[in-house]
Amino acid sequence: SSDTGPHKEKGFTIYLITAFIFSILLIICSITDIKTRKINLILCLFFLLTGISIYLFVIQSSFYILCCNLMTGIFLLIIAKLTHGAIGYGDGIIFLIMSFYLPDACSLAILFLSLASASLFSIILLLKKFSRKYAIPFVPFILCGYSIYTAIQFFTGGFQL
């Protein structure tokens, strides 16, 4: 039996603490994204540096896992560039920062959950006759996707620390 297996108390506590810290960033950025369609880069820098420290000294997952998670953020930044900002650069930045808070390669799953949440919301807006050109801030859906993923991990005991 491993000391850091999925159901061990230490891994569980570390996962909850890191999830809580990253959730603070997502909540703040969700509010500012809704209000201003922008995210605070200084706040992001603070959470990036915090995340790097957590990754190096607490999570310590493989470099491969980190690279897999970083690829999601890089992909979103490339899409933002190709679409001339139709998808915000901030969304890619949030996923890059998230990479340092994740103990397993799950950023694609979180992106999928975020996109599914945004799609459901968009369908509701269309049914309520909102314009198709209505811009929807995406960070609140990243928060939603991250929360769903974290809840699944919590209730299934799927922590990988």
Side-chain angles (χ1 to χ4, degrees):
S1 167
S2 170
D3 290 334
T4 57
H7 294 90
K8 298 296 180 188
E9 191 171 321
K10 180 183 176 199
F12 177 76
T13 302
I14 290 169
Y15 187 89
L16 287 181
I17 291 169
T18 58
F20 177 76
I21 291 169
F22 185 68
S23 293
I24 292 170
L25 173 67
L26 285 177
I27 291 166
I28 294 168
C29 287
S30 290
I31 293 167
T32 58
D33 195 21
I34 290 168
K35 287 183 176 181
T36 67
R37 302 286 197 261
K38 294 180 181 18
I39 61 169
N40 183 322
L41 291 179
I42 301 216
L43 183 70
C44 286
L45 180 61
F46 171 78
F47 277 89
L48 173 64
L49 295 175
T50 303
I52 290 170
S53 298
I54 288 170
Y55 174 80
L56 290 174
F57 301 111
V58 180
I59 293 177
Q60 299 176 335
S61 63
S62 75
F63 184 68
Y64 172 77
I65 288 174
L66 177 63
C67 288
C68 287
N69 287 326
L70 286 170
M71 292 307 292
T72 304
I74 292 167
F75 172 74
L76 289 174
L77 289 173
I78 291 169
I79 296 294
K81 179 75 173 164
L82 292 175
T83 62
H84 305 289
I87 294 175
Y89 287 99
D91 305 325
I93 291 169
I94 292 291
F95 268 92
L96 286 175
I97 295 168
M98 184 190 310
S99 301
F100 294 97
Y101 289 85
L102 300 174
D104 52 4
C106 59
S107 62
L108 274 176
I110 294 169
L111 177 60
F112 172 78
L113 292 167
S114 304
L115 290 168
S117 302
S119 296
L120 287 173
F121 185 75
S122 297
I123 290 168
I124 292 168
L125 288 180
L126 286 173
L127 292 173
K128 292 190 175 274
K129 309 291 189 213
F130 274 79
S131 167
R132 288 177 183 249
K133 296 194 187 276
Y134 183 75
I136 302 171
F138 190 59
V139 177
F141 298 106
I142 299 172
L143 172 61
C144 184
Y146 182 77
S147 299
I148 291 168
Y149 183 84
T150 301
I152 290 168
Q153 293 301 300
F154 179 79
F155 289 114
T156 64
F159 302 105
Q160 300 297 315
L161 287 177

